[in-house]
Amino acid sequence: GGYKIFADGPFGGGTACMREPFSDRPGERGFMTLDDGGILDRMRAADAAGFQVCVHAIGDAAVERCVDLYERLLSERPRRDHRHRIEHASLIPPEVIPRIARLGLCVSAQPLFLHSEKAWLGRRLGPERSRFVYPLRALVDAGVIVGGASDAPVESTDVLHAIACCVTREGFEPARSWSPLEALRLFTRDAAYVQFDEAEKGTLAAGKRADLVVLSDDPLSVAPEDLRGIRVLRTVAGGATVHDAEQGA
């Protein structure tokens, strides 16, 4: 399993660690929960125990500092196929994205944050930083593996809504949207990969766990605005049906 370290807080509380102050809170730029030595010590201990290191970093300053620390960790303790992660990576300085790819770091992303934050996020970050927030498009284009997550119970576990958010961004900087296929991979193949679970789940293949859903419509062919309305008709877990809409169970 993974070992989680909190580096900063969220945008909503004004505690994400930022390079520059929040646009609607002059003088405030959040903070790191630990100094660099405290984070690096935890990284070293987790890595030495064989864990995947997972650091929660939301603000651009926090993400950059965590990438610096991962670089130090991996120079001291090179590890093949480590899949160490950044949890959220909500605002990434553009020049840091190639470093994330080069280090082989993965990102765990929560597209539903856009749904929850779109009404006030532009005011908090301002127009320039808003162009780069939740940069799934830029990460994947750089070759970073991004896995989809819900952040439940903070957010909903409605995966189809999260997929719809990837494709439409609900109107927030829509030029940085994903295709439906990329969004499906986020919550299937790549979500399994960032957990080291790709041999058991994430795709349909002989010998895997047969976790799957039957949907009312094809998410690759419906209009983007209709993705959220797709219904789950049947859920199969480990080859056994655990939900059947037609039978009301």
Side-chain angles (χ1 to χ4, degrees):
Y3 182 97
K4 188 171 183 180
I5 304 167
F6 282 85
D8 69 345
F11 292 136
T15 52
C17 188
M18 308 293 289
R19 284 178 164 182
E20 302 295 335
F22 294 107
S23 296
D24 62 349
R25 294 187 177 187
E28 294 185 28
R29 62 178 72 197
F31 54 85
M32 298 289 283
T33 62
L34 297 162
D35 61 23
D36 289 0
I39 294 174
L40 186 58
D41 284 347
R42 286 163 173 79
M43 285 178 160
R44 287 169 172 152
D47 183 73
F51 287 112
Q52 178 187 29
V53 182
C54 307
V55 183
H56 164 118
I58 285 181
D60 52 2
V63 172
E64 182 175 29
R65 286 170 71 176
C66 287
V67 172
D68 291 343
L69 295 172
Y70 272 126
E71 194 162 39
R72 288 181 61 183
L73 175 71
L74 291 167
S75 67
E76 294 172 3
R77 301 179 57 89
R79 179 172 162 187
R80 184 178 179 183
D81 197 28
H82 54 80
R83 303 189 203 180
H84 294 323
R85 296 197 327 233
I86 303 174
E87 307 297 296
H88 313 308
S90 303
L91 185 63
I92 310 174
E95 70 275 12
V96 174
I97 291 177
R99 295 177 59 203
I100 293 173
R102 179 176 56 80
L103 291 170
L105 301 175
C106 298
V107 169
S108 170
Q110 298 72 29
L112 279 178
F113 283 176
L114 277 168
H115 172 75
S116 300
E117 300 173 359
K118 64 183 179 182
W120 51 263
L121 189 59
R123 294 194 303 274
R124 180 127 308 169
L125 298 182
E128 181 60 25
R129 287 183 295 195
S130 292
R131 293 175 51 223
F132 299 103
V133 73
Y134 301 119
L136 301 184
R137 170 84 279 138
L139 285 166
V140 169
D141 287 348
V144 178
I145 302 297
V146 182
S150 67
D151 209 44
V154 176
E155 295 288 350
S156 165
T157 57
D158 186 341
V159 173
L160 288 164
H161 186 186
I163 287 171
C165 265
C166 290
V167 177
T168 68
R169 289 180 62 100
E170 298 199 357
F172 193 97
E173 298 294 334
R176 302 186 182 278
S177 296
W178 276 19
S179 72
L181 181 58
E182 288 172 320
L184 281 173
R185 287 173 174 164
L186 182 77
F187 282 94
T188 53
R189 182 192 68 183
D190 294 343
Y193 178 86
V194 301
Q195 300 177 82
F196 289 94
D197 280 344
E198 71 274 16
E200 293 188 16
K201 58 187 181 180
T203 57
L204 298 178
K208 292 193 177 183
R209 279 172 37 178
D211 293 346
L212 59 99
V213 292
V214 179
L215 303 176
S216 61
D217 296 281
D218 179 0
L220 302 182
S221 62
V222 301
E225 61 271 19
D226 293 332
L227 281 166
R228 190 179 174 185
I230 294 176
R231 294 180 301 116
V232 177
L233 301 180
R234 181 177 298 175
T235 304
V236 178
T241 297
V242 296
H243 166 72
D244 189 330
E246 292 184 356
Q247 311 228 344

